[in-house]
Amino acid sequence: MGRVRGYGSPSTAAGLEVLINVGAELGLSARTPGTLNFAPSVETIGKKRFGSLLPKHRLTLSGMTIRLSRAVRAMLVSFVSSAAACSGGGSNDGEKSAAAGSTAVSPGGAGGAAPSGAGQGGSAGTMTPGGAGTSMTGTGGAGQSGAGGSLSGTAGTRPSGGTTGGGGGAGAGAVGAGGAASGTGGTGGQAAAAGMGPASGAAGTHAAGAGGAPAVDDSLFKVSAMLASEVDNKAPTTVGIVTWSAATLMLKSAHLEFGLDTSYGMIAPVDLSEPDYRTLLLGMKPNKTYHFRVVASDGSADHASGDYTLQTGAATTAVKIGKFDVKQDTGRERGFIVLSYWAGSGSSVPFILDADGDIVWAYDTGMSGGIARARISYSGHDLWAVTADNAGQSIRRVGMDGLNPQTYSSTKSSHDIAAVSGDTMAYLDYSVSCNDINEIDPSGTTKKIFTASALFGSQCHGNALRYSQAEDNYTFGVVDKDVIRVSRAGEKLWSLASTVSGGNASWGGVNHGHHLLADSILIFANKGGANGSSAMIEYDFSGKKLASYEDGTTSANLGDVQRLPGGNLLVDFSNADVVREVSKDGKVLVEITGGSSQNRFGYATWRPTLYGASPDITD
């Protein structure tokens, strides 16, 4: 500590001064003495702490003597006495004060006790050792003379995640660590070199970056998990069912993080209206150990459970693919593909492939005649399926957990089904000879949307149906006639064959799958390529041909196309038993083939995640 002594002046009481030998404390090699008269007013001292004034008059001399007025002496003596009592043993030179969380010199420790981000720490206050933050449980950035905050010396307020630390006064310390994931406060910053600190402390950091990481406290949570196949052996062996509670939290939102290790990487949203917050883990590979945890928010902070594990079951034997050939990994869009076969082995089983070609979901519906389309509902709760049988069959629905299957025996549909909103779907009604557009909800209630015979006559073969949420329109394909747009009120809005010069003959006269985009439409033209091969053709709404893709492959039946978010195409040559992801410049990035020579793919849907709506609905 520096040496303090006083002496008087006969002419004025203000002449009492204090000499401080600071040479040894500055750590300078020279011992050249120097004297500086220093007499700030009491008012100035009241507004600024001693340490923030001294650097303005500091000489780069060791062993110097500093003269202070009587008005300063009392505060300085208190400062030195307080500093001597501190366990950190820092200098009475304010610039050697510790950063937030340190006990050196300044009594302020880490900031408030809340778990995330840099908090407002307790200040030095009266500079007595009992100041805020001495318990070291808070999270703090660099504080003023030890911890940021007011001069009251009271504990820092509850921090918000990821905010910056309070300004350091006399030489703020190094950056204090942010709140740890455990919920305990961050450790204090390292002490700054004497006299070298800036006027304000650096911002506190946090392990999770902006917004702060959730505080891990497994005592808040009660978590249980099982496989869906443990409930019903027909359910997928790769779907986890997690139920949990957090009794002391007033929940605003929650999600589950899961993956093959504790970096997780996949997110399952939680519906807080579900009993026991029941949540499905979808997209898991067979025969793997998955890690997961709950992350819940009470509106002011995120809280995480500890890590749990779940072992998935064996791969399905109900369906298989031939090959999943990644021809070029760069540029491909990783996600999931919902598929089915309309002919061959496994044709009653809708299934889902992940980006590595693993079957991560499969369910045997028991349908005959093959499945032309399997679709996940807009809400993500259910998978619906319709047959490829031209006579039509009852629609099937099953939960994404593979439980509570439903057959809608009053319906007769074929070829396509579309997700609309919530759990409502739209289908092609094959109970009439020119197939109408109907809507259906999980209760089985149906609603007629569009009567096709009014436009196409008594006989027509509807074979493709899409819904666009952005437009609130349907697109409806009739195999050898047209692709039209229909409002949800049942009004015909636009016809491709009426718009394109030459009508449907311009794309070969036969069409199946299509994708409505914001400013254009893509169609699978079964005979639209050279020598009668299939082509993917994009038209704008004035009928202008914008682009096309063909590679000589032909599919006489079905066939589908989807524009992926990054611009690639997912092309499904159904009868040719091949699905390809194709780049914008025509390069094949991924090629998928069926499980046998007899297999024929139904329509295909690419999704970035198995939760919520598919991008081909929301375009």
Side-chain angles (χ1 to χ4, degrees):
M1 303 292 284
R3 186 174 71 250
V4 180
R5 69 175 185 266
Y7 65 99
S9 168
S11 60
T12 173
L16 288 177
E17 295 173 325
V18 180
L19 300 181
I20 306 174
N21 187 329
V22 297
E25 305 305 323
L26 293 172
L28 302 175
S29 60
R31 294 290 299 175
T32 305
T35 300
L36 173 65
N37 289 316
F38 185 83
S41 67
V42 174
E43 180 181 357
T44 302
I45 295 171
K47 293 180 178 177
K48 298 186 178 180
R49 288 176 293 171
F50 175 76
S52 66
L53 292 171
L54 184 55
K56 299 178 182 178
H57 302 274
R58 178 175 170 274
L59 298 179
T60 55
L61 300 173
S62 63
M64 76 179 177
T65 300
I66 300 175
R67 300 177 182 274
L68 302 172
S69 68
R70 179 197 300 222
V72 179
R73 188 178 63 181
M75 179 170 287
L76 176 61
V77 171
S78 175
F79 175 86
V80 174
S81 299
S82 175
C86 296
S87 61
S91 170
N92 65 332
D93 181 347
E95 289 197 62
K96 198 172 181 180
S97 302
S102 170
T103 58
V105 181
S106 174
S116 64
Q120 299 176 357
S123 75
T126 59
M127 299 187 180
T128 58
T134 56
S135 65
M136 298 299 287
T137 59
T139 302
Q144 298 174 350
S145 295
S150 67
L151 291 173
S152 64
T154 58
T157 60
R158 182 182 185 94
S160 60
T163 58
T164 59
V175 176
S182 64
T184 59
T187 58
Q190 300 172 357
M196 300 301 292
S200 60
T205 60
H206 197 291
V216 177
D217 185 354
D218 206 35
S219 65
L220 291 173
F221 297 89
K222 183 178 180 181
V223 180
S224 179
M226 65 172 62
L227 294 177
S229 56
E230 296 178 67
V231 181
D232 185 337
N233 60 13
K234 286 189 64 179
T237 61
T238 52
V239 174
I241 302 173
V242 179
T243 55
W244 57 278
S245 62
T248 63
L249 295 178
M250 298 296 290
L251 294 177
K252 299 295 184 182
S253 63
H255 64 269
L256 269 60
E257 298 176 345
F258 65 107
L260 290 170
D261 54 37
T262 54
S263 64
Y264 306 112
M266 301 172 73
I267 299 291
V270 172
D271 182 349
L272 295 180
S273 68
E274 283 287 321
D276 300 320
Y277 307 135
R278 185 179 187 271
T279 304
L280 301 184
L281 302 182
L282 300 172
M284 297 191 294
K285 299 174 182 291
N287 290 316
K288 298 288 184 182
T289 298
Y290 276 80
H291 294 256
F292 71 93
R293 68 174 182 174
V294 179
V295 179
S297 173
D298 59 10
S300 61
D302 289 344
H303 308 271
S305 72
D307 181 71
Y308 294 84
T309 59
L310 184 66
Q311 176 71 37
T312 57
T316 182
T317 57
V319 68
K320 64 180 181 178
I321 63 169
K323 66 177 181 179
F324 188 93
D325 185 6
V326 178
K327 296 183 177 296
Q328 180 178 308
D329 193 58
T330 302
R332 76 180 179 113
E333 301 188 46
R334 299 180 66 87
F336 300 90
I337 302 176
V338 183
L339 276 169
S340 62
Y341 293 124
W342 69 267
S345 58
S347 60
S348 62
V349 183
F351 59 98
I352 301 174
L353 299 178
D354 70 5
D356 300 317
D358 292 319
I359 297 176
V360 297
W361 193 96
Y363 182 83
D364 194 339
T365 64
M367 297 175 73
S368 60
I371 297 175
R373 171 80 80 181
R375 270 278 196 189
I376 298 175
S377 62
Y378 185 92
S379 67
H381 292 162
D382 302 305
L383 183 135
W384 298 67
V386 291
T387 186
D389 184 352
N390 285 338
Q393 290 186 26
S394 298
I395 297 170
R396 304 294 205 279
R397 176 181 66 88
V398 66
M400 289 302 295
D401 54 10
L403 306 177
N404 304 312
Q406 179 90 29
T407 299
Y408 296 96
S409 55
S410 63
T411 63
K412 194 174 184 181
S413 184
S414 183
H415 279 70
D416 214 353
I417 191 165
V420 182
S421 62
D423 295 312
T424 298
M425 307 293 287
Y427 67 94
L428 299 175
D429 182 9
Y430 268 59
S431 67
V432 292
S433 57
C434 188
N435 315 128
D436 298 336
I437 302 174
N438 285 1
E439 289 184 355
I440 185 171
D441 65 23
S443 72
T445 301
T446 62
K447 177 183 178 181
K448 183 77 68 180
I449 298 297
F450 178 72
T451 303
S453 59
L455 181 64
F456 297 110
S458 60
Q459 294 288 329
C460 70
H461 180 68
N463 62 4
L465 181 65
R466 291 281 181 95
Y467 172 76
S468 168
Q469 180 190 56
E471 304 291 337
D472 197 24
N473 289 173
Y474 288 104
T475 44
F476 174 39
V478 177
V479 64
D480 56 354
K481 297 183 183 298
D482 206 351
V483 180
I484 65 171
R485 287 178 68 171
V486 176
S487 73
R488 211 168 164 197
E491 178 186 4
K492 175 198 166 187
L493 302 175
W494 176 84
S495 159
L496 181 60
S498 300
T499 306
V500 175
S501 176
N504 69 346
S506 65
W507 65 76
V510 180
N511 49 270
H512 275 81
H514 57 261
H515 187 184
L516 178 63
L517 304 169
D519 300 308
S520 61
I521 190 167
L522 277 164
I523 68 166
F524 187 97
N526 296 76
K527 299 179 181 180
N531 301 314
S533 65
S534 299
M536 294 356 93
I537 306 175
E538 181 176 4
Y539 295 99
D540 68 15
F541 298 137
S542 68
K544 180 182 178 182
K545 184 176 180 179
L546 301 178
S548 65
Y549 168 79
E550 58 183 276
D551 60 13
T553 308
T554 302
S555 179
N557 303 103
L558 294 183
D560 202 7
V561 59
Q562 180 185 350
R563 171 74 50 75
L564 305 188
N568 294 346
L569 291 180
L570 185 72
V571 181
D572 177 0
F573 295 98
S574 177
N575 273 23
D577 185 33
V578 62
V579 174
R580 297 187 179 109
E581 181 181 347
V582 182
S583 68
K584 288 181 281 189
D585 59 359
K587 293 179 181 177
V588 176
L589 305 177
V590 179
E591 184 170 280
I592 309 164
T593 59
S596 73
S597 60
Q598 300 303 311
N599 281 122
R600 301 288 183 267
F601 283 116
Y603 289 139
T605 307
W606 181 96
R607 304 171 56 97
T609 171
L610 296 181
Y611 301 98
S614 172
D616 72 322
I617 300 169
T618 57
D619 281 335

